[in-house]
PDB file of all heavy atoms in Angstrom:
ATOM      1  N   ASN A 175    -160.092  92.055 -99.531  1.00  0.00           N
ATOM      2  CA  ASN A 175    -160.659  92.319-100.852  1.00  0.00           C
ATOM      3  C   ASN A 175    -161.746  91.305-101.192  1.00  0.00           C
ATOM      4  O   ASN A 175    -161.606  90.460-102.083  1.00  0.00           O
ATOM      5  CB  ASN A 175    -159.548  92.311-101.907  1.00  0.00           C
ATOM      6  CG  ASN A 175    -159.997  92.953-103.210  1.00  0.00           C
ATOM      7  OD1 ASN A 175    -160.986  93.662-103.250  1.00  0.00           O
ATOM      8  ND2 ASN A 175    -159.254  92.693-104.273  1.00  0.00           N
ATOM      9  N   ASP A 176    -162.872  91.392-100.465  1.00  0.00           N
ATOM     10  CA  ASP A 176    -164.052  90.586-100.757  1.00  0.00           C
ATOM     11  C   ASP A 176    -165.279  91.451-100.498  1.00  0.00           C
ATOM     12  O   ASP A 176    -165.160  92.655-100.235  1.00  0.00           O
ATOM     13  CB  ASP A 176    -164.068  89.293 -99.929  1.00  0.00           C
ATOM     14  CG  ASP A 176    -164.224  89.517 -98.432  1.00  0.00           C
ATOM     15  OD1 ASP A 176    -164.333  90.692 -97.990  1.00  0.00           O
ATOM     16  OD2 ASP A 176    -164.253  88.529 -97.680  1.00  0.00           O
ATOM     17  N   ASP A 177    -166.476  90.865-100.575  1.00  0.00           N
ATOM     18  CA  ASP A 177    -167.703  91.650-100.417  1.00  0.00           C
ATOM     19  C   ASP A 177    -167.733  92.393 -99.085  1.00  0.00           C
ATOM     20  O   ASP A 177    -168.090  93.574 -99.018  1.00  0.00           O
ATOM     21  CB  ASP A 177    -168.935  90.740-100.519  1.00  0.00           C
ATOM     22  CG  ASP A 177    -169.192  90.261-101.935  1.00  0.00           C
ATOM     23  OD1 ASP A 177    -168.649  90.869-102.876  1.00  0.00           O
ATOM     24  OD2 ASP A 177    -169.924  89.273-102.104  1.00  0.00           O
ATOM     25  N   TRP A 178    -167.379  91.667 -98.020  1.00  0.00           N
ATOM     26  CA  TRP A 178    -167.397  92.282 -96.691  1.00  0.00           C
ATOM     27  C   TRP A 178    -166.359  93.393 -96.589  1.00  0.00           C
ATOM     28  O   TRP A 178    -166.671  94.515 -96.156  1.00  0.00           O
ATOM     29  CB  TRP A 178    -167.126  91.224 -95.621  1.00  0.00           C
ATOM     30  CG  TRP A 178    -166.847  91.797 -94.272  1.00  0.00           C
ATOM     31  CD1 TRP A 178    -167.759  92.339 -93.412  1.00  0.00           C
ATOM     32  CD2 TRP A 178    -165.576  91.898 -93.623  1.00  0.00           C
ATOM     33  NE1 TRP A 178    -167.132  92.776 -92.265  1.00  0.00           N
ATOM     34  CE2 TRP A 178    -165.787  92.526 -92.372  1.00  0.00           C
ATOM     35  CE3 TRP A 178    -164.275  91.533 -93.971  1.00  0.00           C
ATOM     36  CZ2 TRP A 178    -164.762  92.769 -91.469  1.00  0.00           C
ATOM     37  CZ3 TRP A 178    -163.246  91.785 -93.085  1.00  0.00           C
ATOM     38  CH2 TRP A 178    -163.485  92.394 -91.848  1.00  0.00           C
ATOM     39  N   GLY A 179    -165.126  93.120 -96.978  1.00  0.00           N
ATOM     40  CA  GLY A 179    -164.059  94.104 -96.838  1.00  0.00           C
ATOM     41  C   GLY A 179    -164.295  95.343 -97.692  1.00  0.00           C
ATOM     42  O   GLY A 179    -164.041  96.475 -97.251  1.00  0.00           O
ATOM     43  N   GLN A 180    -164.793  95.146 -98.895  1.00  0.00           N
ATOM     44  CA  GLN A 180    -165.078  96.290 -99.764  1.00  0.00           C
ATOM     45  C   GLN A 180    -166.183  97.162 -99.175  1.00  0.00           C
ATOM     46  O   GLN A 180    -166.123  98.401 -99.242  1.00  0.00           O
ATOM     47  CB  GLN A 180    -165.457  95.793-101.160  1.00  0.00           C
ATOM     48  CG  GLN A 180    -164.302  95.141-101.907  1.00  0.00           C
ATOM     49  CD  GLN A 180    -164.763  94.298-103.071  1.00  0.00           C
ATOM     50  OE1 GLN A 180    -165.915  94.372-103.503  1.00  0.00           O
ATOM     51  NE2 GLN A 180    -163.862  93.460-103.588  1.00  0.00           N
ATOM     52  N   ASP A 181    -167.177  96.515 -98.592  1.00  0.00           N
ATOM     53  CA  ASP A 181    -168.253  97.259 -97.936  1.00  0.00           C
ATOM     54  C   ASP A 181    -167.707  98.040 -96.743  1.00  0.00           C
ATOM     55  O   ASP A 181    -168.021  99.222 -96.555  1.00  0.00           O
ATOM     56  CB  ASP A 181    -169.331  96.273 -97.481  1.00  0.00           C
ATOM     57  CG  ASP A 181    -170.625  96.956 -97.075  1.00  0.00           C
ATOM     58  OD1 ASP A 181    -171.070  97.870 -97.789  1.00  0.00           O
ATOM     59  OD2 ASP A 181    -171.194  96.573 -96.043  1.00  0.00           O
ATOM     60  N   MET A 182    -166.885  97.375 -95.939  1.00  0.00           N
ATOM     61  CA  MET A 182    -166.273  98.043 -94.793  1.00  0.00           C
ATOM     62  C   MET A 182    -165.420  99.220 -95.240  1.00  0.00           C
ATOM     63  O   MET A 182    -165.478 100.316 -94.658  1.00  0.00           O
ATOM     64  CB  MET A 182    -165.414  97.052 -94.005  1.00  0.00           C
ATOM     65  CG  MET A 182    -166.196  96.070 -93.163  1.00  0.00           C
ATOM     66  SD  MET A 182    -166.991  96.832 -91.731  1.00  0.00           S
ATOM     67  CE  MET A 182    -165.588  97.055 -90.643  1.00  0.00           C
ATOM     68  N   SER A 183    -164.637  99.031 -96.269  1.00  0.00           N
ATOM     69  CA  SER A 183    -163.754 100.083 -96.772  1.00  0.00           C
ATOM     70  C   SER A 183    -164.541 101.341 -97.134  1.00  0.00           C
ATOM     71  O   SER A 183    -164.177 102.461 -96.773  1.00  0.00           O
ATOM     72  CB  SER A 183    -162.991  99.569 -97.994  1.00  0.00           C
ATOM     73  OG  SER A 183    -162.380 100.619 -98.702  1.00  0.00           O
ATOM     74  N   ARG A 184    -165.630 101.133 -97.855  1.00  0.00           N
ATOM     75  CA  ARG A 184    -166.461 102.256 -98.289  1.00  0.00           C
ATOM     76  C   ARG A 184    -167.087 102.977 -97.093  1.00  0.00           C
ATOM     77  O   ARG A 184    -167.053 104.214 -96.989  1.00  0.00           O
ATOM     78  CB  ARG A 184    -167.551 101.745 -99.232  1.00  0.00           C
ATOM     79  CG  ARG A 184    -168.538 102.791 -99.689  1.00  0.00           C
ATOM     80  CD  ARG A 184    -169.580 102.164-100.617  1.00  0.00           C
ATOM     81  NE  ARG A 184    -170.321 101.097 -99.963  1.00  0.00           N
ATOM     82  CZ  ARG A 184    -171.378 101.308 -99.165  1.00  0.00           C
ATOM     83  NH1 ARG A 184    -171.781 102.560 -98.914  1.00  0.00           N
ATOM     84  NH2 ARG A 184    -172.022 100.292 -98.637  1.00  0.00           N
ATOM     85  N   LEU A 185    -167.657 102.202 -96.171  1.00  0.00           N
ATOM     86  CA  LEU A 185    -168.336 102.805 -95.025  1.00  0.00           C
ATOM     87  C   LEU A 185    -167.358 103.478 -94.073  1.00  0.00           C
ATOM     88  O   LEU A 185    -167.636 104.564 -93.539  1.00  0.00           O
ATOM     89  CB  LEU A 185    -169.134 101.730 -94.278  1.00  0.00           C
ATOM     90  CG  LEU A 185    -170.348 101.163 -95.029  1.00  0.00           C
ATOM     91  CD1 LEU A 185    -170.880  99.939 -94.316  1.00  0.00           C
ATOM     92  CD2 LEU A 185    -171.441 102.212 -95.155  1.00  0.00           C
TER      93      LEU A 185
END
Side-chain angles (χ1 to χ4, degrees):
N175 196 17
D176 66 0
D177 288 343
W178 168 75
Q180 292 163 14
D181 193 44
M182 285 289 284
S183 166
R184 176 180 60 83
L185 292 169

